[in-house]
Amino acid sequence: MISGEINASSSPEDLKRFSPRITDFIIRAKVKKQMLDDLARKGITVDEAKNRIERPWGEER
């Protein structure tokens, strides 16, 4: 988005290829802490969260 590669007129194919990355270590640490705090408030373990991300609809691997 910042680089101008993704905008309101981007095609679905462009959006599928878009893979944003947080490169700044301080920002990455803050985002990770916020995510872990949010999971803890909801009573979700990190392992359970990873399982939900890897298999969001309960698919078996």
Side-chain angles (χ1 to χ4, degrees), residues 26-45:
I26 294 170
I27 293 173
R28 187 177 357 184
K30 287 180 181 181
V31 169
K32 185 175 180 179
K33 182 178 180 333
Q34 288 174 346
M35 291 173 67
L36 291 173
D37 290 347
D38 187 50
L39 290 173
R41 275 193 304 276
K42 294 176 181 178
I44 300 172
T45 65

Side-chain angles (χ1 to χ4, degrees), residues 40-58:
R41 275 193 304 276
K42 294 176 181 178
I44 300 172
T45 65
V46 173
D47 289 334
E48 183 181 351
K50 285 181 183 178
N51 190 39
R52 288 183 184 189
I53 291 169
E54 292 170 3
R55 294 179 270 185
W57 295 282

Side-chain angles (χ1 to χ4, degrees), residues 1 4-20:
M1 294 165 127
E5 295 176 21
I6 300 296
N7 57 43
S9 63
S10 296
S11 70
E13 290 77 27
D14 291 337
L15 296 173
K16 287 178 186 176
R17 287 192 307 267
F18 184 63
S19 182

